Amino acid sequence: MTTRKLSTTDAFVVLDLDDDVPAVGIVRSAPKVLVDGASWLARAQTYQFASFGRRLRGASAAVNAAPDLRDDAVAAFIDELAPDLDAGTLLLEPAKGLSAEHAAALRAHDPRPASWWDQRDELRADGVAAAVGTAVPAEGCRVAIEGFDAAGPALVRALTARGAVVVAVATPSGTKEVPEGISAEAAAEAWAAHGPGLVTELGGDASPPGSVFAADADVVVAGSKVGVIDHEVAASVRARAIVPGGALPVTAKALAVLRRAGVVVLPDFVTTAGALFAWPVDGGEITVDEARAAATTAIVEVLAEVADHPSGPLLGACERAEAFLTTWAADLPFGRPLG
C-alpha cells in the first residue's frame, strides 16, 4: 500500500499492492479525509476485482477542501493526475463530496463505457438486490435500507422488482418504518423533494438513524459509511441478514457478534459489484441489459460458492479473492477488508 501526496493541492491517492497494473477506485472530498480510511477502501476494491477475476488493484483518493474551496481544489487534483488518468493507469470514480461538474471533469479523462458512467447506480442496485435474494428468499422479503441517498430509489426499484418489500429507510435525518412498504415512485418523489429529510415526509414521526438496525425486517441493506455497524450496533440487529450496499459497513468485532447471533453477513466487495460488468474486460461494448444479466448472474454464483463456508460468507469470499490474487500479485495484501 502506497500513498501519493499531490503537490498542487491538499490531496492524496492511496494505491493498493505494489504491482504495475492499473489502479481503480473512488475519490472523495471533505475538509479532512483520513488516509487510513482511504486505505481500507482501496483494499476493498482490490478484493472486488479479484472476486471477479480482474487483474486490477484498488485505489482511493481524497481532496481535502472546504465546500467553498472545493471547485478549485478538485480542478487542481484532476490537472495534476491527468497524465495517469489519460494513460488509464489510474481510474477514479466520483464519490461523496464531489458534484456533477466534478464527475464530468473526471469522466473526460476516463476510458470506461458510457453505460458504466450513466448506469452505475442502477447496476449496483441490481447487484445488491440479487444478493438479498441469496440471503433470504426475495418474494415477500422485508428490507430496511440504511444510508438511503440519491441512489436509494434505484435500490428500492430493484428490490421491489424481485418481490421484496422495503419497510424502512434511514438517512442522517432519521429512520422511518413503513410496514406496508415503500414504492420506488414514492421513494424517488420524496428524495427529489426533500433529500435526506424525506423520512419526515413519509408520514408519522421519524426515529433516530441508528434505529433502522432494529427495524422489523428480514434484511438490512447497510453501507452509509465504513464501520457503521460496530459491535454495539450489531447487538441490536433483528434481521436475519446484513447485505452491504456500500463499502465496509461491518467491523471485525461486529462480524463476530452477528455470527454468534446467527445473522448472515455478505461480503460488500461482492454485493456492490454490479457496475463492474458494464466495463468489459476486453474493452468492448455491452448493453445495459447485458451488463445487468452478467452482474446478477456472477454475484449470485460467487455468493452461492461461499454461502456454506465454515467461517461465514464474508471470510469465505476473502479467501476466494486471495486465491485469485496469488495467481498474479507479488505478495498478498496484509489485512482483510473489514470496517
Side-chain angles (χ1 to χ4, degrees):
M1 190 85 68
T2 59
T3 302
R4 173 182 172 181
K5 293 187 177 181
L6 275 64
S7 60
T8 56
T9 190
D10 183 6
F12 63 85
V13 182
V14 175
L15 305 170
D16 199 12
L17 306 180
D18 294 322
D19 297 79
D20 188 21
V21 299
V24 184
I26 64 169
V27 53
R28 298 173 292 157
S29 187
K32 184 63 177 178
V33 180
L34 299 179
V35 172
D36 186 58
S39 298
W40 288 114
L41 290 172
R43 178 61 43 79
Q45 189 67 75
T46 295
Y47 274 65
Q48 182 171 102
F49 291 134
S51 295
F52 298 99
R54 300 285 183 105
R55 187 170 172 172
L56 298 166
R57 56 181 173 149
S60 182
V63 179
N64 295 316
D68 59 328
L69 302 174
R70 196 160 293 165
D71 287 347
D72 289 342
V74 171
F77 170 87
I78 294 174
D79 284 346
E80 185 169 342
L81 291 176
D84 300 295
L85 299 172
D86 291 335
T89 57
L90 177 64
L91 303 178
L92 294 174
E93 172 184 356
K96 190 173 294 185
L98 270 68
S99 68
E101 290 73 20
H102 301 149
L106 279 170
R107 182 172 180 171
H109 295 273
D110 197 287
R112 285 174 285 193
S115 59
W116 182 89
W117 281 93
D118 296 336
Q119 302 293 328
R120 64 189 191 280
D121 286 345
E122 288 76 8
L123 289 167
R124 173 177 284 214
D126 287 331
V128 171
V132 166
T134 71
V136 176
E139 187 64 37
C141 174
R142 297 167 62 80
V143 180
I145 301 175
E146 185 274 333
F148 191 95
D149 57 15
L155 179 56
V156 175
R157 187 175 301 108
L159 288 165
T160 55
R162 291 173 176 269
V165 182
V166 177
V167 296
V169 296
T171 74
S173 298
T175 294
K176 179 59 186 175
E177 292 193 53
V178 184
E180 67 274 16
I182 303 166
S183 70
E185 293 74 17
E189 290 174 3
W191 179 265
H194 307 287
L198 67 86
V199 293
T200 62
E201 303 299 325
L202 293 173
D205 296 327
S207 55
S211 64
V212 69
F213 295 108
D216 182 16
D218 300 305
V219 173
V220 176
V221 174
S224 63
K225 61 181 180 180
V226 172
V228 66
I229 304 177
D230 62 16
H231 60 287
E232 294 181 347
V233 170
S236 71
V237 171
R238 297 171 59 190
R240 296 157 57 189
I242 301 293
V243 177
L248 305 169
V250 179
T251 68
K253 286 185 177 180
L255 179 62
V257 171
L258 292 165
R259 287 199 64 220
R260 285 196 296 271
V263 179
V264 174
V265 180
L266 297 187
D268 58 282
F269 49 89
V270 175
T271 62
T272 63
L276 183 62
F277 294 85
W279 176 27
V281 176
D282 60 7
E285 292 293 328
I286 187 171
T287 68
V288 174
D289 286 343
E290 289 170 339
R292 180 177 292 110
T296 55
T297 297
I299 288 170
V300 168
E301 287 178 349
V302 171
L303 294 176
E305 187 176 330
V306 300
D308 296 324
H309 190 279
S311 297
L314 197 163
L315 295 181
C318 286
E319 291 183 7
R320 184 180 180 281
E322 289 156 5
F324 176 76
L325 288 171
T326 60
T327 67
W328 67 270
D331 297 292
L332 275 179
F334 178 77
R336 285 173 166 169
L338 283 165

